[in-house]
Amino acid sequence: MNKSRLTEGNPLQVILRFMFPLLLGNIFQQLYNMADTIIVGRFVGQDALAAVGSTGTIMFLIIGLVSGLASGFTVMTAQRFGAKDVDGTRRSVSNAIVLSVLIVLLMTILSVSLMHQILHLLNTPKEIYHYAYDYIIVICQGLFCTVFYNLFAAMMRAVGNSKMPLILLIFSACLNVVLDLVMIINLGLETRGAALATVISQGVSVILAGVYIVKKIPDLRIKRDFYRIDFRMLEKQLIVGIPMALQFGITASGTMILQAAVNTYGAVAVAAYTAANKVQSLLTQGHLSLGQTMAAYTGQNYGAGRVDRIHQGVRAAMKTNVVYSLATGGIALGLLQPMMHLFFTGDTDFAAMMPYAWPYVIACVVCFIPLGMIFIFRNTMQGCGFGLMPMMGGVVELFCRLSFALTSIYTGIYLLTAFSDAFAWVGAGIFTWIAYMFLIKKVEKKLAEADSN
């Protein structure tokens, strides 16, 4: 069996084999994001840690928009690769690169010029404002590195290679930690140093990923005359890419409002929420990895006309989701308090922090399974080339998160803020499941008609 093709073999085994390197890679990515937070918290202070955490939603919005577009562009790569269309695969790659360059330039200019207004809009506390600005402005200036690493990794996954992105992430994570220590401790650059470490480590990974693709993956190797936009393919890429970007943007808008709600409770609440959110994010990387797997798996099988394998893959993914959610839920409840100590020095008042951390983590743990459903069904639909319904799932998620967060701001009840993510996951999980059941029938009909012709 050709292991780069996800159209062959037992679906559960294929999914798990492809997912495992992705999971390790995503965990390493979270670990080097956590390294920023831990090193900043221990060597700069609690306010600096809160500042880095308060910019997380801004990063999610900006990077999510551009990375969503880039990932959407590579759906066509997976479909053409599944159909064994080498020329089409290469043209999808050249289109994605040209479009991504244009998008990164636009988003870098907008984000850098509007950052002060965004931070004020989020009610960023005065005592952490300068730390937050110093961190996020460097991240925005280095968007090219972040987006193109994600683009190259998505291209490799589209053709069934999930191991090289893992190797690059491990390297990047280790380099980031070293640079964090040098820039924060030795050079005294505080939060700006943490951001520089992230951008530089990702930039090195972009170079290595580009060299690897050129040298080792001939199906992604493009010719000079391919650097012209194929407008027929462009339309199909935008049909998927724009809704994916909007979906990230819609979801991020909800999390920004949630962050604004957290910010109203002060720096202690922001620091506690930041640390608890990092723990939650680390443990939910399996859900993200499963979704990334289903995008590549579905894209290839859709291109090959194998709707039966799409069904089998979704069932296998749901079983994996249940087992993973129960296991990580237990870990979160058992290790939250010890993991909180990683982020702060010994003189931190944990008694003041835990009332903000515990409700949030408990609410999330209860709803890990619906979160996994979102990633499975959304990425499966996107792998089939659908963009609107996955985006509408983001709208449902936004509405649910928004209703809890705004009510929390109005009433001053932190518990509503803590449950915002969980409520959003339940609503969006149910919606994406129903949408998948509806759209997969259209896929069956379309592929059946193609076979008959």
Side-chain angles (χ1 to χ4, degrees):
M1 180 180 68
N2 184 346
K3 292 184 178 181
S4 67
R5 295 201 178 273
L6 308 179
T7 55
E8 307 167 12
N10 180 280
L12 178 60
Q13 294 176 3
V14 168
I15 286 171
L16 291 178
R17 183 175 60 248
F18 189 85
M19 173 187 168
F20 186 66
L22 286 177
L23 175 58
L24 290 180
N26 286 328
I27 287 174
F28 267 96
Q29 179 143 12
Q30 286 300 308
L31 288 175
Y32 83 65
N33 289 339
M34 286 178 68
D36 283 349
T37 312
I38 292 170
I39 295 171
V40 165
R42 285 186 166 270
F43 293 99
V44 185
Q46 180 177 308
D47 285 348
L49 182 143
V52 172
S54 70
T55 62
T57 53
I58 304 174
M59 290 174 60
F60 183 54
L61 172 62
I62 297 170
I63 295 173
L65 281 170
V66 287
S67 297
L69 276 169
S71 297
F73 298 155
T74 59
V75 168
M76 179 61 65
T77 306
Q79 291 181 353
R80 292 300 86 212
F81 183 78
K84 301 181 180 180
D85 176 5
V86 175
D87 189 62
T89 301
R90 290 174 175 172
R91 288 198 177 278
S92 75
V93 169
S94 65
N95 260 26
I97 290 174
V98 173
L99 290 171
S100 295
V101 168
L102 297 175
I103 291 161
V104 168
L105 288 174
L106 176 63
M107 289 301 299
T108 299
I109 293 169
L110 287 175
S111 61
V112 170
S113 60
L114 296 176
M115 190 49 60
H116 280 299
Q117 293 90 325
I118 294 171
L119 288 173
H120 285 299
L121 188 63
L122 288 176
N123 300 319
T124 305
K126 291 181 180 179
E127 61 267 34
I128 67 174
Y129 185 93
H130 71 285
Y131 285 131
Y133 181 81
D134 285 350
Y135 183 81
I136 192 62
I137 201 69
V138 174
I139 296 294
C140 292
Q141 290 166 346
L143 270 181
F144 178 90
C145 299
T146 304
V147 171
F148 270 81
Y149 170 74
N150 288 327
L151 176 66
F152 289 161
M155 288 177 181
M156 288 186 274
R157 290 194 296 267
V159 297
N161 186 335
S162 61
K163 291 182 180 178
M164 192 59 194
L166 166 63
I167 294 170
L168 291 172
L169 263 177
I170 292 173
F171 169 80
S172 183
C174 295
L175 178 60
N176 185 79
V177 171
V178 172
L179 291 175
D180 267 335
L181 295 171
V182 171
M183 293 189 177
I184 294 173
I185 300 174
N186 293 356
L187 300 181
L189 295 178
E190 298 182 330
T191 53
R192 184 182 293 273
L196 279 170
T198 298
V199 170
I200 292 171
S201 61
Q202 289 180 335
V204 174
S205 293
V206 168
I207 296 171
L208 295 176
V211 171
Y212 180 84
I213 288 172
V214 170
K215 298 289 187 182
K216 299 293 184 180
I217 310 181
D219 287 329
L220 299 180
R221 194 180 302 147
I222 55 180
K223 301 175 183 177
R224 182 175 299 179
D225 62 340
F226 279 16
Y227 279 105
R228 299 192 306 268
I229 292 181
D230 182 328
F231 287 97
R232 288 180 299 177
M233 185 172 287
L234 171 65
E235 180 183 1
K236 296 178 181 178
Q237 288 178 305
L238 291 177
I239 286 172
V240 179
I242 289 177
M244 282 183 73
L246 291 176
Q247 165 211 307
F248 273 106
I250 291 166
T251 302
S253 299
T255 59
M256 288 178 72
I257 294 168
L258 176 56
Q259 184 67 55
V262 174
N263 289 348
T264 62
Y265 295 94
V268 173
V270 174
Y273 175 84
T274 296
N277 182 260
K278 290 292 184 183
V279 174
Q280 177 262 105
S281 296
L282 178 64
L283 294 175
T284 54
Q285 290 309 298
H287 301 105
L288 172 61
S289 305
L290 190 55
Q292 292 171 326
T293 299
M294 290 307 295
Y297 174 90
T298 305
Q300 286 197 23
N301 282 285
Y302 179 87
R306 295 294 306 276
V307 70
D308 58 317
R309 283 184 62 82
I310 296 176
H311 282 300
Q312 294 166 8
V314 167
R315 287 193 291 269
M318 282 300 296
K319 293 176 184 177
T320 304
N321 173 40
V322 171
V323 173
Y324 181 85
S325 296
L326 294 176
T328 51
I331 292 171
L333 295 177
L335 296 182
L336 174 63
Q337 192 153 346
M339 291 183 75
M340 290 283 289
H341 284 266
L342 292 173
F343 297 92
F344 306 100
T345 56
D347 58 351
T348 301
D349 185 4
F350 287 98
M353 286 192 171
M354 295 313 294
Y356 294 105
W358 270 118
Y360 174 72
V361 169
I362 291 171
C364 290
V365 162
V366 172
C367 298
F368 274 175
I369 291 176
L371 174 62
M373 291 170 58
I374 296 173
F375 282 107
I376 292 169
F377 295 126
R378 182 172 67 198
N379 284 276
T380 298
M381 289 187 284
Q382 288 168 343
C384 292
F386 295 106
L388 179 60
M389 282 300 185
M391 184 186 74
M392 292 307 298
V395 173
V396 172
E397 191 174 347
L398 170 64
F399 175 79
C400 294
R401 187 175 282 114
L402 193 63
S403 61
F404 268 54
L406 290 179
T407 305
S408 175
I409 293 173
Y410 180 75
T411 62
I413 300 174
Y414 175 76
L415 199 61
L416 293 173
T417 296
F419 274 78
S420 296
D421 276 342
F423 184 59
W425 295 346
V426 171
I430 293 172
F431 177 88
T432 52
W433 171 57
I434 295 172
Y436 163 77
M437 297 298 290
F438 170 75
L439 290 180
I440 198 64
K441 295 184 184 301
K442 295 181 67 174
V443 172
E444 290 172 345
K445 182 179 179 181
K446 180 179 180 179
L447 294 180
E449 290 174 351
D451 287 340
S452 65
N453 294 333

